[in-house]
Amino acid sequence: MNELELKLKGKVPGDDTGIEIRKSVCAICDPGTQCGLDLYVKDGTIIKVAGTKEAPHSHGTLCSKGAAMRQYVYSPERVLTPLRRTGERGSGQFEPITWDEALDEIASKLNGIKREFGPESVMFFSGYAKWARPYLMRFAMDFGSPNYLTESSTCATAMVMAQQLTYGAPAGPDLKNTSCVMYWSHNPSATKSLNLEGINRKIESGAKVIVIDPRVTDLAQLADVFLQLRPGTDGALALAFGHVIIEEGLYDREFVASWTRGFDEYKQLVADMTPEKAAGICGVAAADIRAAARMYAEAKPACVHFSAAPVVHHTNGVQNYRAVFCLIALTGNLDVAGGNRINPASLVHQPGGFPTREREFTCAHRLAGLPERIGARRFPVWARLCNEAQACDIPRQMRTDDPYPLKALFALGLNYRMFPGSQDFLDEVCKLDFIVDADLFLTDSAKHADIVLPCCSSAERREIRCWPMGYVQFTQPAIEPVGESRSDVDILAELSKRLGLGDELLEAGIEACVEWMMEPSGLTVKDLDEHPEGMWVPGAKPPAERKYLDGGFRTPSGKVEFVSSVLEDVGGEGCEALPSYREPAMSPVSRPDLAEEYPLVLGLGARLPMYQHTRTFRLPWTRSLSPDPHADVNPADAAAAGIADGGWMTVATPKGSLTVRAHVTGLVREGDVHMYHDWPQANANDLLDGDYLDPISGFPGYRSSLCKIAPASAEGRGAGHD
Ligand SMILES: Nc1nc2c(c(=O)[nH]1)N[C@H]1C(S)=C(S)[C@@H](COP(=O)(O)OP(=O)(O)OC[C@H]3O[C@@H](n4cnc5c(=O)[nH]c(N)nc54)[C@H](O)[C@@H]3O)O[C@H]1N2
Ligand SMILES: Nc1nc2c(c(=O)[nH]1)N[C@H]1C(S)=C(S)[C@@H](COP(=O)(O)OP(=O)(O)OC[C@H]3O[C@@H](n4cnc5c(=O)[nH]c(N)nc54)[C@H](O)[C@@H]3O)O[C@H]1N2
Ligand SMILES: [Mo]
């Protein structure tokens, strides 16, 4: 082999080899964990993927999903041209059409439906991809529909609501400056590997760590105190913390006196929740509750690391997190260094420490003049606090036409399996007159659309992102789009023209939009384009401490609200003004009748490191790491049911039954079963009812219901498609 051949074999970049490194970002995870990507490109094809060493957030690391990026980009399941359905919904029979045909047809159908039934009868939905949302929301507002909805109907928003209700805005943990971190449900080894570096450094520095999780995670094994609670009982535990902190005089009297509302009522509420009582509810030792409460309250400063999903994935989720967030105020750790800091998002839900006009760009203010949103009447607290419609209410509105009929859905990345009672959700959606789904892949959901539009991956498009330390990247396409695929934003811009929406800025394309949004940051597209690998935003810094001193908190009273004015105003079951504890709607305590037949607590959705919702099942590398659907079962429960580790078993609820492999492990509590969601051949959400929702947020109770297990044969397995 000569030198050039050797270099080619080693994929060495250079003029002689024709291999070039192009900087990009991995958007398989989104948006908190995007690693910088070095894409090695030769003759327009990505031949190698590596992490970007100089990326300040990922330092050249990649997880199994990012390492499989080429299989994602070049998947044989990519949609290559626009498609028009020719067979039954779901049959997968389509004919390729041109972009002009597709866009004209969509424009004429949507405008026709708008004329006949009003703009509100058209829904604009975005799945987990969050990067294109500001553009989609603006597009929906231009169209005149209040029904902009996203996967955030099940992710993160309820956690944000719990904070809005309590102190007006989200307050993230200041890990760098803290001396104690309370991880109230977080499993970074599986979900946010980029957090591990900071966590390890913190632990090495001697900071105290408390972990609250029903499963023994990697993080739990590093904790000073680990509380392995029954899923969905977080509220009782947090109230018991409040009990100890007040009883032992460990609370911040001055802050509580000056800056909180309803302390006396809260004090009364927690007086009843002794550690002994909470121990009985949560299944943890009272002594450990006392130890953790003291550790958190005595360390100064201390922060709570919360998460987007598991605590609010219960029918009592918002109240449970409200009880947790009250502790931050009670101990005076709110908006101080090393505590939880109020830090607004700069771009795509990420705080970057610099101002942008992303929010203004979405035109959310126009919602006020539009008809009622989906879910607004059923979830009034949601409607007051969020700028979106609540997608979990779509099936009900489809069934009843109340308050008006829905006729069309325009989706960027629809996955019906993300919704509880998935099949019912799909059946209702299929009654629409017209469905468009834009996706990278011809998914099960896309197969039900009338028109499928092919979308680009992050390697083929431009997108802007930022990271909390004040770093921003406006990526360049590393390769030409695969097939005829287009960027979501290009699709919206083109469609806007054909619909005659008259939005000059959106129609001018992503560069113009980014220029507009970034204006307050002082950076122009020209500046950003000089640094395709990303750049520090000059002057970016976290907001000042104790901003409430100047104008109070963004709650109706201007104070931290132990007693919520909004909940007081709305009222109703589950919407109590105090964060009182209520059992999950399906638990051994709330439904002893059901528990006789279904004795185990079922948690659906704990993440696996190699899978990202539906996205990476189809990649051979990631799939090989965990080929079959499985659920975690405690050895005692497995033995009682006669189930062997690795054997097939059924997991059944009153709603349905799945066949999965048993992963018998002492890492889960006796009495609990945990399973990942979105398996193509074993969809966890077929086990739940579509109405199993939190009355405050409308979030599904994915993480606690009741089930039974029994041995099964391999024949029971479902055949599925990604
Ligand atoms: N690999 C991978 N990473 C992901 C995702 C993915 O699909 N795959 N999804 C991304 C998304 S959209 C999200 S929202 C985040 C979620 O991010 P995380 O919240 O970190 O992830 P989870 O694994 O859902 O839950 C964290 C921990 O909460 C625990 N838990 C479950 N129920 C309860 C409960 O009732 N109370 C308490 N205290 N803890 C509970 C679980 O056992 C788990 O260890 O992950 C993101 N990262
Ligand atoms: N049982 C249970 N169910 C859950 C959860 C749980 O914990 N348990 N978690 C909930 C949570 S937190 C979340 S976030 C949701 C997951 O939300 P989903 O929206 O279900 O997530 P994905 O499957 O990742 O993405 C949906 C589709 O978007 C496509 N897509 C990817 N990138 C792009 C893009 O750039 N443009 C376009 N147009 N399409 C793209 C993907 O190919 C996929 O088909 O699931 C929810 N459902
Ligand atoms: Mo999520």
Side-chain angles (χ1 to χ4, degrees):
M1 231 185 254
N2 65 27
E3 195 188 326
L4 182 61
E5 284 166 340
L6 272 172
K7 278 177 151 180
L8 282 167
K9 195 159 192 285
K11 300 181 181 171
V12 178
D15 288 344
D16 50 350
T17 55
I19 298 171
E20 203 184 316
I21 297 180
R22 306 227 169 111
K23 301 292 178 184
S24 189
V25 76
C26 175
I28 297 179
C29 295
D30 190 356
T33 32
Q34 325 91 346
C35 296
L37 279 184
D38 280 4
L39 297 176
Y40 289 60
V41 177
K42 182 170 167 60
D43 302 329
T45 301
I46 304 169
I47 58 165
K48 174 179 163 175
V49 175
T52 302
K53 290 213 171 55
E54 61 274 28
H57 47 287
S58 53
H59 308 296
T61 58
L62 282 183
C63 79
S64 55
K65 302 183 285 299
M69 183 76 178
R70 280 192 306 147
Q71 295 179 351
Y72 189 77
V73 172
Y74 297 120
S75 163
E77 291 180 39
R78 285 288 297 266
V79 191
L80 299 177
T81 66
L83 300 172
R84 181 194 286 130
R85 186 165 60 80
T86 53
E88 291 287 295
R89 285 201 196 280
S91 66
Q93 289 168 340
F94 289 94
E95 60 180 2
I97 51 174
T98 65
W99 273 103
D100 275 337
E101 284 174 290
L103 294 169
D104 283 341
E105 189 165 327
I106 295 169
S108 101
K109 282 269 171 37
L110 293 187
N111 269 342
I113 290 171
K114 183 180 186 173
R115 266 193 306 275
E116 199 174 339
F117 300 98
E120 66 275 18
S121 65
V122 181
M123 297 177 273
F124 296 91
F125 176 83
S126 161
Y128 181 56
K130 308 208 186 205
W131 73 279
R133 291 200 186 162
Y135 314 87
L136 181 67
M137 180 160 190
R138 184 180 173 98
F139 183 80
M141 296 302 106
D142 286 342
F143 188 82
S145 172
N147 290 320
Y148 161 74
L149 356 81
T150 73
E151 133 288 2
S152 298
S153 291
T154 70
C155 177
T157 313
M159 169 273 290
V160 174
M161 287 172 70
Q163 302 200 53
Q164 287 174 305
L165 289 168
T166 312
Y167 39 69
D174 180 6
L175 187 66
K176 203 164 140 212
N177 298 305
T178 201
S179 55
C180 173
V181 200
M182 182 146 71
Y183 288 100
W184 207 297
S185 88
H186 186 41
N187 183 19
S189 316
T191 60
K192 289 203 178 5
S193 49
L194 295 187
N195 284 357
L196 286 168
E197 193 189 336
I199 292 172
N200 286 332
R201 219 182 302 125
K202 200 76 234 178
I203 292 174
E204 279 160 20
S205 78
K208 297 283 185 231
V209 171
I210 301 163
V211 168
I212 293 147
D213 197 304
R215 302 180 314 144
V216 186
T217 58
D218 295 349
L219 190 59
Q221 298 180 50
L222 300 173
D224 294 283
V225 184
F226 168 41
L227 295 167
Q228 192 176 6
L229 81 178
R230 171 163 65 91
T233 61
D234 302 83
L237 189 61
L239 294 178
F241 273 52
H243 178 102
V244 175
I245 291 168
I246 293 176
E247 186 181 63
E248 302 192 2
L250 300 175
Y251 66 102
D252 186 330
R253 284 166 207 274
E254 209 180 301
F255 180 84
V256 165
S258 320
W259 288 104
T260 66
R261 172 180 198 262
F263 178 67
D264 290 341
E265 291 92 325
Y266 172 76
K267 194 173 160 187
Q268 246 174 21
L269 176 73
V270 301
D272 180 52
M273 190 60 82
T274 60
E276 288 67 28
K277 181 172 174 186
I281 295 171
C282 307
V284 298
D288 289 344
I289 300 180
R290 286 187 197 280
R294 284 181 195 135
M295 189 175 282
Y296 171 71
E298 284 175 349
K300 288 283 180 259
C303 64
V304 177
H305 186 118
F306 45 84
S307 101
V311 174
V312 287
H313 281 171
H314 295 281
T315 54
N316 56 359
V318 171
Q319 291 289 37
N320 283 353
Y321 246 166
R322 238 171 76 61
V324 174
F325 296 140
C326 285
L327 301 174
I328 300 173
L330 188 66
T331 53
N333 279 306
L334 187 55
D335 218 18
V336 297
N340 283 71
R341 301 282 296 275
I342 294 177
N343 196 349
S346 300
L347 292 168
V348 198
H349 304 290
Q350 294 300 303
F354 59 93
T356 66
R357 288 197 287 192
E358 188 191 64
R359 202 183 151 78
E360 290 85 339
F361 180 82
T362 63
C363 296
H365 62 275
R366 291 201 219 150
L367 268 176
L370 298 178
E372 178 179 330
R373 280 172 273 162
I374 296 168
R377 219 170 292 171
R378 188 169 172 201
F379 304 108
V381 187
W382 165 283
R384 266 203 216 190
L385 300 180
C386 317
N387 284 331
E388 303 186 7
Q390 185 21 300
C392 293
D393 197 40
I394 292 174
R396 187 207 57 80
Q397 186 157 339
M398 286 297 302
R399 274 193 302 270
T400 59
D401 287 348
D402 175 25
Y404 48 80
L406 298 168
K407 293 293 172 188
L409 169 65
F410 178 90
L412 303 180
L414 174 70
N415 165 32
Y416 76 91
R417 288 203 299 264
M418 67 168 270
F419 292 99
S422 311
Q423 190 57 47
D424 305 332
F425 182 94
L426 182 66
D427 290 347
E428 291 302 334
V429 164
C430 282
K431 292 179 189 156
L432 291 166
D433 291 350
F434 188 56
I435 304 174
V436 180
D437 190 21
D439 204 304
L440 283 78
F441 311 104
L442 190 56
T443 63
D444 267 355
S445 302
K447 284 182 186 158
H448 295 80
D450 297 283
I451 304 270
V452 180
L453 298 175
C455 283
C456 289
S457 74
S458 60
E460 303 147 58
R461 66 183 180 223
R462 304 207 68 180
E463 64 181 281
I464 188 156
R465 293 165 174 263
C466 77
W467 289 268
M469 69 290 277
Y471 198 75
V472 66
Q473 185 178 9
F474 188 28
T475 60
Q476 293 281 356
I479 53 169
E480 289 290 314
V482 168
E484 292 176 21
S485 64
R486 290 189 183 176
S487 148
D488 299 68
V489 179
D490 294 349
I491 295 171
L492 294 174
E494 198 49 48
L495 204 50
S496 176
K497 290 179 200 158
R498 295 181 199 229
L499 283 161
L501 299 181
D503 184 337
E504 281 176 25
L505 180 56
L506 184 61
E507 290 169 18
I510 191 161
E511 280 88 4
C513 296
V514 167
E515 186 89 20
W516 194 91
M517 279 189 263
M518 287 297 285
E519 200 257 349
S521 75
L523 288 180
T524 61
V525 166
K526 188 165 166 288
D527 300 326
L528 293 162
D529 280 350
E530 280 166 15
H531 299 278
E533 75 288 3
M535 65 185 292
W536 296 97
V537 181
K541 61 171 190 318
E545 280 183 70
R546 298 183 204 272
K547 289 173 297 298
Y548 57 86
L549 293 175
D550 184 18
F553 292 94
R554 280 171 37 203
T555 54
S557 63
K559 295 187 169 183
V560 176
E561 299 199 342
F562 290 116
V563 174
S564 158
S565 326
V566 173
L567 293 175
E568 206 167 40
D569 194 25
V570 170
E573 212 191 324
C575 298
E576 294 76 18
L578 277 166
S580 43
Y581 176 70
R582 213 166 31 102
E583 274 289 314
M586 263 172 99
S587 87
V589 179
S590 60
R591 292 297 306 273
D593 54 327
L594 261 186
E596 268 183 38
E597 189 181 346
Y598 301 96
L600 303 173
V601 174
L602 179 62
L604 297 169
R607 308 306 194 234
L608 295 171
M610 70 297 286
Y611 292 131
Q612 190 76 20
H613 305 302
T614 58
R615 296 178 185 196
T616 48
F617 288 115
R618 57 172 69 78
L619 317 186
W621 284 2
T622 42
R623 188 59 178 262
S624 71
L625 297 171
S626 180
D628 293 320
H630 52 85
D632 297 339
V633 189
N634 184 274
D637 297 319
I643 292 166
D645 185 28
W648 293 95
M649 65 173 179
T650 53
V651 178
T653 67
K655 175 77 178 174
S657 163
L658 299 176
T659 305
V660 301
R661 280 193 196 277
H663 179 223
V664 179
T665 168
L667 300 179
V668 301
R669 295 166 69 255
E670 192 176 335
D672 286 2
V673 175
H674 287 272
M675 182 183 157
Y676 188 64
H677 60 296
D678 270 333
W679 283 97
Q681 65 280 68
N683 172 21
N685 286 330
D686 285 339
L687 297 178
L688 295 178
D689 198 90
D691 284 334
Y692 193 58
L693 307 173
D694 180 331
I696 300 183
S697 62
F699 266 42
Y702 298 126
R703 307 296 182 110
S704 60
S705 59
L706 291 171
C707 77
K708 63 180 175 184
I709 54 172
S713 64
E715 282 74 62
R717 285 181 290 164
H721 182 272
D722 301 334

